[in-house]
Amino acid sequence: MTSQLDSTRTAAVIGAGQTGVTAALGLLDAGFDVTLYSDRDQRALRDDVPATGTALEFGETQQAEAALGLDTYTARAPRHTGLSVRIAGPEQAELIAFDGHFDGYVGVAVDTRLKADERLTAFIERGGHFVVEQVTPEKLDSIAADVDLTLVATGRGGLSDLFAIDESRSPYAAPQRSLLTVTVTGLGYDESVFAHRSRAGGAHSLFSILADQGEAWWGPYLHKDIGPSWAFLGWAKPGSDWEKRFAAADSADSALRIVQQLYRDYLDWDLPEVLAAQTIAADRHSWLKGAVRPVVRAGAGRTAGGHVVASLGDTSAAYDPIAGQGAQSGLIQAQRLVAAAAVHEGPFDEEWITAQYRAFLAARGDAANRVTRLFLGDPEFAEIGGQLFAAAAVEPRFAAALVGLLHRPQPFLGVDSLAAAGRFITEVTGQDAAELLARFEPAGRFARSAYAGGLATA
C-alpha cells in the first residue's frame, strides 16, 4: 500500500455511506490523498440513521469488494443459498411456486451502517481525511477546484441536480412502489424455519408477489448490533391497501405489527414464522419507510465554477430495491472507478469520467436496470416475465437461472421479446420452450407453514 507521503494525486468523496466510503478507501489504498466528506460524524452514521435497505449482495459484488481487499462478510453474515418465490394473481389466486438455488455463489445482506462504520475506521487509520461538514453545491465547487478527482456519492442538498437525468434510461416519472422495511430477531436459519417453502428452510430468502398489492421479501441479515437476524422488505403498489398500511408505520414495533397483520390477511402461508419475529429494542432505527423514483443520471456534471465531478452509486442510478441492484451496482461501480483511476496517468476530465461511466453501464448498469423493471412487473416486460416465471415453476434449472439474474443481470439484456424469452429458456434448459411451458400448471394452493415457534401466537 502506498503511503500518504508518496501520494501525488488528490481525491474528494462526498457522502460516507457504504458506496462512498468504499470508494474513498479504495482510492486511498491506490495511492491517492483522499478527503471524505459527511454531514454526520462517525457515531451518528452508525447509530442515528436507519440502514438504507437490506443491501443484499451476490457473487459479482462480493468479487468487487474482494478486489479492493475488503471484507465481503460471507464469513460473518448468514448466507442466502437460494430464493423461494410465490406468485398470487388477482383475488389472491395462488399461481406459481418455485425455489431457485444459487449456482456457484451465495448472497449476504449486511447492515449498511456496519459496513460504512468499519470501512470508515480503516480509512481514518490508514491516513484518510474525514471531514464532518454539509457539502452544498457552492462548497462542492471549492472542493472540486482543489483536487484531481471528485466523486459525489450523495444527492443530498441538491447535489444530484448537478447530473442530468438520462431520459432514455429513466422511464418512470414517479416512484413505482411505497417501501417498508424492518429488521427483526426471533428466527433461526435451519431447515425447520420456512420449511414449507424449501428443504433449505432458513437458508433461502423468500419473495412473494401479489398482483393487486405488491411484493414482500424476507431474508437472513447481519445487523450492526445483534449480528445474525432477519429483514423484511415490502413494496406496495400505488393505490393499494398495502400502501395505506405501510404509510401508518411510525416505529419498528408498529412496522412489525403492520407486517404481521399483512401476512394474516394476504400471505398466510408464511404466517407462523412472521408471528415469531421480534423487533430489535436496542435499535430504534431498525425500520424505514419511503419511496424511490428509479432514475439514471449522467456520470459527469459540472459545478457552478465549471469544475467536473463524477456521480457515484445512488447519485448515478437510483434503482427500486425490488431486485437488489442498488447496493450491488454502486459497489461494482466504485471498484471499477478505483481500478481505472489507479492506472490512469492523465487528467480526470469529463471525457475520462464519461468513458468510465459508459463502460460501467455496458458492463452492469443497463442490465441491472432492466432486471429491476422485470421484477417490478413493468408493462414492457409483462408477457416476457409471465413466460420466465412459468418456466421457472416447471424446470429447476431455469429457476436457478432466473434468480441468478439478481447476481449477474447481463443475460437479460438480450431478452427483449417473447421469442427471445423462448430462446433464453431453451438455452438454459436444453428443452424446447413451448413444450416446457405447455407443462405449466397453476400451483392451486401453496403449502402452509406449521412452524412451531409461531403457532402459540397465531
Side-chain angles (χ1 to χ4, degrees):
M1 183 176 70
T2 304
S3 72
Q4 288 295 292
L5 294 176
D6 296 328
S7 295
T8 58
R9 297 183 293 178
T10 56
V13 180
I14 318 302
Q18 173 183 238
T19 303
V21 73
T22 297
L25 185 56
L27 288 170
L28 186 73
D29 287 349
F32 284 73
D33 186 346
V34 185
T35 303
L36 176 64
Y37 292 84
S38 170
D39 60 355
R40 297 176 184 267
D41 63 25
Q42 185 170 4
R43 187 205 61 79
L45 287 168
R46 192 186 194 281
D47 296 327
D48 291 350
V49 296
T52 53
T54 56
L56 178 59
E57 298 172 14
F58 302 106
E60 284 199 339
T61 310
Q62 294 157 16
Q63 292 166 9
E65 291 185 308
L68 290 169
L70 300 175
D71 185 355
T72 66
Y73 294 84
T74 53
R76 298 163 60 183
R79 298 184 179 191
H80 302 239
T81 60
L83 180 64
S84 171
V85 178
R86 302 292 181 267
I87 301 177
E91 299 181 1
Q92 298 174 238
E94 297 171 21
L95 300 178
I96 290 177
F98 66 85
D99 299 285
H101 294 266
F102 298 152
D103 186 7
Y105 62 95
V106 297
V108 291
V110 180
D111 195 325
T112 53
R113 299 167 297 181
L114 175 65
K115 273 192 172 182
D117 182 60
E118 292 185 350
R119 291 176 187 179
L120 180 54
T121 295
F123 175 78
I124 295 170
E125 289 176 346
R126 296 177 193 178
H129 314 293
F130 180 54
V131 177
V132 180
E133 180 179 354
Q134 175 68 50
V135 176
T136 63
E138 293 75 22
K139 178 62 178 179
L140 181 64
D141 186 49
S142 64
I143 292 171
D146 292 336
V147 298
D148 297 311
L149 175 62
T150 303
L151 306 181
V152 180
T154 177
R156 293 170 66 92
L159 297 183
S160 61
D161 293 336
L162 297 173
F163 305 95
I165 294 176
D166 185 339
E167 299 293 349
S168 68
R169 292 182 167 90
S170 306
Y172 306 121
Q176 298 301 289
R177 299 289 191 272
S178 294
L179 309 174
L180 178 66
T181 181
V182 61
T183 306
V184 301
T185 187
L187 291 172
Y189 310 98
D190 63 31
E191 63 277 1
S192 71
V193 181
F194 297 111
H196 61 295
R197 283 271 197 157
S198 166
R199 287 180 296 175
H204 277 195
S205 49
L206 322 175
F207 189 56
S208 298
I209 301 172
L210 266 71
D212 296 334
Q213 297 295 330
E215 300 83 17
W217 177 88
W218 282 92
Y221 186 73
L222 185 68
H223 182 267
K224 68 181 180 70
D225 298 322
I226 68 167
S229 51
W230 281 79
F232 166 84
L233 182 55
W235 299 263
K237 291 186 175 182
S240 66
D241 178 48
W242 286 18
E243 182 181 53
K244 296 175 184 176
R245 298 189 188 205
F246 286 7
D250 58 9
S251 66
D253 288 338
S254 69
L256 181 56
R257 286 195 299 270
I258 288 167
V259 172
Q260 290 173 332
Q261 192 60 52
L262 196 79
Y263 273 74
R264 288 182 189 273
D265 296 342
Y266 289 96
L267 303 151
D268 66 320
W269 49 84
D270 297 329
L271 182 59
E273 281 89 346
V274 176
L275 290 175
Q278 305 166 23
T279 54
I280 300 171
D283 180 12
R284 64 188 180 91
H285 298 291
S286 60
W287 73 286
L288 181 67
K289 69 177 180 180
V292 177
R293 178 197 170 190
V295 62
V296 178
R297 295 181 179 272
R302 287 192 177 271
T303 66
H307 304 292
V308 66
V309 294
S311 64
L312 179 66
D314 290 346
T315 311
S316 294
Y319 300 91
D320 187 291
I322 197 165
Q325 296 305 303
Q328 296 197 90
S329 291
L331 290 167
I332 289 171
Q333 183 190 14
Q335 185 271 325
R336 291 176 62 92
L337 264 175
V338 168
V343 298
H344 182 60
E345 297 182 354
F348 298 103
D349 54 19
E350 185 169 359
E351 181 180 3
W352 183 87
I353 290 171
T354 299
Q356 302 311 312
Y357 188 55
R358 286 174 178 166
F360 161 72
L361 290 175
R364 177 81 189 195
D366 285 341
N369 196 356
R370 284 176 59 85
V371 166
T372 299
R373 293 174 63 192
L374 171 69
F375 277 83
L376 276 173
D378 188 299
E380 182 178 335
F381 302 122
E383 290 187 315
I384 291 172
Q387 278 201 356
L388 300 185
F389 283 100
V394 175
E395 173 53 62
R397 284 178 296 176
F398 193 75
L402 181 58
V403 300
L405 295 176
L406 305 178
H407 150 65
R408 186 174 183 274
Q410 291 87 336
F412 190 60
L413 275 174
V415 182
D416 55 4
S417 66
L418 288 175
R423 289 192 294 271
F424 182 38
I425 293 168
T426 297
E427 179 183 347
V428 169
T429 65
Q431 303 175 51
D432 179 78
E435 294 179 1
L436 186 153
L437 290 167
R439 302 202 302 271
F440 169 74
E441 294 182 358
R445 182 170 170 81
F446 301 148
R448 262 57 181 176
S449 172
Y451 179 62
L455 292 178
T457 56

